[in-house]
Amino acid sequence: MRLFQIDKAILLWGLINEEVLSLFKKEDLLGITESRPYLYGLKNIFFLKNKDYNCFYLTDNMVGILFASGKIKSTYIFYKEKSDKGFLCPSGSLYVYLLSRLHNIEVNFFPQGELEKSLDKDASTLGGKPFVKKEDLKFVVLSQDELIGTNL
Amino acid sequence: MYSSPLLFPVKLEGKNIIVLDETLLPFKEEYIEVDSLKKALEVLGSMKTRAFGQVLLFFYSCVLFKEYSPSHLSQEFKRVRPTFAFEFLAELVEEEVKKAKTIQEAVDNFIKGFDSLRRKRAKRLAQILPSFPKILTICNVNGELIYLYEELKKLNKSCLFYVSETRPYLQGTRLTFWELRKNNIPAYLVCDNQAAKLMKEKKVNCVITGADRSTTKGDIINKVGSYALAKLAKYFNIPFYALVQYPEDIDIKSIEIEERPQEEVFMFLEEDFSEVEAVYPSFDVVEKCLVTQMINIR
């Protein structure tokens, strides 16, 4: 797929909840972000393909170019918990939230779907495959939940 | 003494070009022999080498495959990697040839001079940075962060690197984090999307990237993900520095952004992705308004 084929896509971040599907039409174009390190995007894209949704996959660092080129009309972030402090979301959510807001894209929060154990917990592995030497593992920053506060 | 094979990932040995296969790092350090233009283009297209490696590959191709003019070679290289300014490299070679006896001498002079300029650029950047720079970086600038670390040490400045993994090829993980840790330089690895949290928590106080292209107006083109870092850095009031070489007097928007085959997005993963659509723009444009300062090679 090429960038020119993307127009007014809906960006999905995190682990999608089946209930959100009622908000989308089959003709909507859904951009499925990878959501590192857990690779929730892989689970999402196969799930949505099986339901015949029109979707494409992108890695997290590609969201910037999509926002900058006006390809995204709205963002959905799937959160873990909601409180009066804001939304507790998986690692990386702040990146997507801020980039959405900095491009004046509306952000919708939705409770995340059922959690499955991920093979990856940080950047040292991808799909369970190691990319960092054992002696350097202590220099890999653990991914942690991020609070998207009401003040942001 | 600090060093990295990525400082010179491509070498000329006799009638062969020897290319470090960057796709196998960090677990294997293997080299590919290139003895024809076809092979050189294959190596380039399959990302076995990139950045300064592709510059060296081009120069050495000019030396070895003399049946083609530098200008013709630049067109062939450009067909494979359209964003990079190979035509500019051809002009450099042709200019240098006027001063030297042979293409080989011209190329040798240029490469030697370029490395010295890289060191000087690192020195200038080290002077600009604060007393304890906590640097977020993306992709790989072929060993220049090692030069930077050396220069910071000379100025008695401590330093800490955060390396963004750089999906989908993981150049940040496999190249930058590896070369820094190999030299025992303080460096942490993060997922690309952890940048905002690092900035919010003030764990980084500057962003440093390379640039595949740049303009005299101050815009750059660099690895996809660079724009997001620049945009977030601006929001958090963190300076964004770009290491550039030979800025061109052109409109940044006139440069074609390479889009790689979608299967490469999944290259390290094992599921069957044949039915899945994906995008893979290789580069981002970062406009002047987001770049605090370009650190030029000259």
Side-chain angles (χ1 to χ4, degrees):
Chain A
M1 190 178 208
R2 298 283 154 176
L3 281 181
F4 78 86
Q5 295 170 287
I6 298 170
D7 185 34
K8 296 188 175 63
I10 298 166
L11 194 75
L12 303 186
W13 169 268
L15 198 54
I16 64 165
N17 178 339
E18 201 167 345
E19 286 174 27
V20 81
L21 297 184
S22 61
L23 301 176
F24 306 139
K25 298 177 193 128
K26 289 278 161 106
E27 59 268 29
D28 283 335
L29 180 58
L30 307 177
I32 312 299
T33 41
E34 187 163 64
S35 310
R36 281 283 282 148
Y38 314 112
L39 299 175
Y40 291 149
L42 290 186
K43 187 185 171 202
N44 292 342
I45 196 129
F46 287 118
F47 175 74
L48 292 165
K49 285 299 283 183
N50 284 338
K51 292 193 176 294
D52 288 329
Y53 279 92
N54 185 16
C55 47
F56 66 96
Y57 191 85
L58 66 151
T59 58
D60 306 335
N61 52 353
M62 293 173 191
V63 299
I65 192 170
L66 292 190
F67 285 129
S69 51
K71 305 275 183 197
I72 303 295
K73 69 172 179 183
S74 62
T75 299
Y76 281 74
I77 295 178
F78 296 90
Y79 65 83
K80 287 179 142 180
E81 284 172 33
K82 184 182 173 185
S83 72
D84 52 359
K85 287 180 188 159
F87 296 94
L88 188 67
C89 302
S91 183
S93 301
L94 186 63
Y95 178 90
V96 173
Y97 173 77
L98 284 176
L99 287 169
S100 302
R101 294 297 304 270
L102 291 170
H103 292 86
N104 300 314
I105 303 297
E106 115 188 309
V107 181
N108 305 282
F109 287 92
F110 222 83
Q112 72 177 23
E114 198 176 324
L115 197 60
E116 279 178 22
K117 200 176 174 204
S118 168
L119 291 170
D120 308 300
K121 64 180 189 327
D122 58 36
S124 67
T125 60
L126 180 72
K129 208 180 282 183
F131 286 90
V132 168
K133 293 192 167 181
K134 271 186 187 164
E135 61 269 29
D136 292 328
L137 287 174
K138 57 181 176 288
F139 297 102
V140 180
V141 177
L142 192 68
S143 294
Q144 291 175 320
D145 293 341
E146 294 173 5
L147 182 72
I148 298 179
T150 44
N151 57 339
L152 277 171
Chain B
M1 185 65 187
Y2 303 97
S3 70
S4 168
L6 291 165
L7 279 163
F8 293 98
V10 178
K11 290 176 179 167
L12 184 63
E13 286 180 11
K15 293 196 170 175
N16 285 327
I17 302 169
I18 309 296
V19 179
L20 173 64
D21 186 347
E22 296 182 11
T23 63
L24 298 179
L25 291 171
F27 295 111
K28 284 186 191 166
E29 208 172 313
E30 287 184 9
Y31 290 81
I32 303 163
E33 286 189 12
V34 171
D35 58 1
S36 65
L37 175 58
K38 186 173 172 245
K39 183 79 178 172
L41 296 175
E42 263 175 41
V43 161
L44 182 73
S46 55
M47 302 274 287
K48 304 291 186 194
T49 192
R50 27 105 261 157
F52 188 50
Q54 70 192 1
V55 173
L56 294 171
L57 184 65
F58 176 78
F59 282 152
Y60 292 139
S61 294
C62 292
V63 173
L64 277 197
F65 315 128
K66 289 195 188 81
E67 61 272 35
Y68 307 105
S69 68
S71 160
H72 176 82
L73 287 173
S74 75
Q75 287 165 27
E76 293 287 327
F77 273 58
K78 187 103 183 164
R79 196 169 43 77
V80 179
R81 303 284 332 253
T83 301
F84 200 76
F86 291 106
E87 66 281 13
F88 177 70
L89 296 184
E91 284 171 26
L92 274 180
V93 172
E94 279 157 359
E95 200 57 39
E96 286 289 327
V97 165
K98 287 178 194 163
K99 295 182 248 166
K101 287 175 192 157
T102 61
I103 291 186
Q104 171 128 28
E105 195 182 313
V107 164
D108 288 346
N109 289 345
F110 177 81
I111 291 168
K112 204 173 153 193
F114 190 83
D115 191 47
S116 157
L117 291 172
R118 279 197 298 190
R119 279 195 175 276
K120 285 180 189 160
R121 176 166 67 178
K123 188 175 180 176
R124 273 183 281 130
L125 179 56
Q127 285 162 345
I128 293 167
L129 294 178
S131 57
F132 186 5
K134 292 173 276 181
I135 300 162
L136 177 60
T137 188
I138 188 168
C139 202
N140 179 259
V141 284
N142 287 101
E144 200 162 332
L145 296 183
I146 292 171
Y147 286 166
L148 176 63
Y149 182 73
E150 284 180 320
E151 294 300 332
L152 287 165
K153 274 189 81 172
K154 286 180 198 166
L155 297 170
N156 287 321
K157 292 183 180 181
S158 302
C159 166
L160 182 60
F161 289 96
Y162 284 93
V163 182
S164 194
E165 63 176 343
T166 321
R167 288 285 289 132
Y169 264 85
L170 296 172
Q171 293 99 328
T173 307
R174 296 184 304 99
L175 309 180
T176 304
F177 181 67
W178 168 74
E179 68 178 351
L180 292 172
R181 288 305 312 142
K182 199 175 172 188
N183 285 282
N184 214 22
I185 293 173
Y188 288 94
L189 179 68
V190 294
C191 296
D192 296 318
N193 60 37
Q194 286 176 278
K197 188 165 188 268
L198 288 177
M199 291 182 189
K200 183 173 176 241
E201 292 177 351
K202 301 191 189 313
K203 288 188 173 155
V204 296
N205 57 13
C206 60
V207 179
I208 297 173
T209 73
D212 289 72
R213 301 284 294 270
S214 59
T215 71
T216 49
K217 285 181 202 140
D219 315 305
I220 66 157
I221 285 180
N222 193 49
K223 180 56 57 191
V224 70
S226 303
Y227 169 77
L229 295 187
K231 192 81 179 169
L232 291 168
K234 182 93 174 173
Y235 175 75
F236 285 107
N237 207 18
I238 291 169
F240 181 98
Y241 299 107
L243 300 167
V244 305
Q245 43 283 320
Y246 314 113
E248 301 157 84
D249 186 16
I250 52 168
D251 179 359
I252 198 85
K253 289 183 178 147
S254 68
I255 298 172
E256 179 186 351
I257 297 295
E258 177 183 357
E259 293 190 52
R260 305 277 308 170
Q262 63 172 30
E263 51 273 22
E264 291 183 11
V265 172
F266 308 108
M267 64 179 295
F268 295 119
L269 297 165
E270 283 172 1
E271 288 92 335
D272 175 10
F273 295 100
S274 53
E275 301 295 313
V276 176
E277 299 252 48
V279 284
Y280 185 1
S282 245
F283 299 99
D284 271 343
V285 171
V286 182
E287 291 187 61
K288 181 190 174 180
C289 57
L290 300 177
V291 179
T292 308
Q293 192 172 340
M294 294 200 309
I295 316 296
N296 200 349
I297 196 88
R298 288 194 282 208

